[in-house]
């Protein structure tokens, strides 16, 4: 029983990559992540490159990083990889002040994101 668990632990079937403190709202990142979820890596890369959204640049870098992790660290075949899971969470919010009329001040919240990406190999 212990031998089977040890063999299962050696056989890694997923590669992860994450980026933190990205200066873009999680709401905007989620739109692009929904487009690439459960797609093969090459199709996901094509979608990200041809989508005119600001969130595509950090997601493209993250997708390349996760693909390189899978290929170099876990000896996975890059042709069989797909985006198994991707998520975004809120990071710390940068609070700024905007001057308004009659001496008032309004708060501007500059949101940040933590993005996670998991690639798996098709079996």
């Amino acid at each position: 029983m212990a031998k089977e668990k040890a063999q299962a632990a050696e056989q890694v079937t997923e590669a992860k990559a994450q980026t933190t403190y990205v200066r873009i709202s999680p709401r905007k990142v989620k739109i692009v992540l929904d487009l690439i979820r459960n797609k093969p890596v090459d199709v996901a890369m094509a979608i990200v490159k041809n989508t005119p959204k600001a969130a595509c640049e950090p997601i493209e870098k993250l997708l390349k990083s996760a693909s390189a992790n899978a290929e170099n660290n876990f000896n996975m075949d890059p042709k069989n990889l797909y985006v198994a899971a991707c998520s975004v969470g809120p990071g710390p919010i940068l609070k700024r002040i905007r001057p308004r009329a009659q001496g008032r001040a309004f708060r501007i919240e500059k949101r940040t994101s933590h993005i996670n990406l998991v690639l798996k190999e098709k079996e």
Side-chain angles (χ1 to χ4, degrees):
M1 190 72 155
K3 209 178 220 185
E4 291 174 13
K5 286 184 181 179
Q7 288 176 350
E10 288 177 19
Q11 183 67 24
V12 178
T13 58
E14 65 180 33
K16 298 177 185 177
Q18 69 175 4
T19 182
T20 55
Y21 307 105
V22 180
R23 247 303 283 127
I24 188 165
S25 170
R27 184 176 177 177
K28 295 176 183 177
V29 176
K30 186 181 182 309
I31 294 169
V32 180
L33 290 181
D34 289 342
L35 293 174
I36 66 169
R37 190 173 286 118
N38 296 322
K39 299 271 192 314
V41 170
D42 53 347
V43 174
M45 187 62 77
I47 289 171
V48 168
K49 284 189 177 194
N50 294 307
T51 304
K53 295 281 187 185
C56 287
E57 186 179 339
I59 291 175
E60 181 182 352
K61 288 176 77 173
L62 192 64
L63 195 56
K64 285 180 183 176
S65 175
S67 180
N69 288 345
E71 190 174 352
N72 296 320
N73 298 345
F74 303 115
N75 297 321
M76 295 181 183
D77 184 18
K79 295 175 185 169
N80 292 337
L81 293 175
Y82 71 100
V83 180
C86 52
S87 62
V88 61
I93 299 171
L94 306 173
K95 289 156 179 97
R96 301 293 182 256
I97 300 293
R98 175 101 180 150
R100 301 299 292 208
Q102 298 179 356
R104 294 183 176 92
F106 281 11
R107 175 176 278 176
I108 303 271
E109 293 184 339
K110 295 179 178 277
R111 300 182 183 274
T112 60
S113 302
H114 299 321
I115 309 169
N116 298 310
L117 196 67
V118 177
L119 300 182
K120 286 189 180 177
E121 200 168 22
K122 289 182 185 171
E123 296 165 357

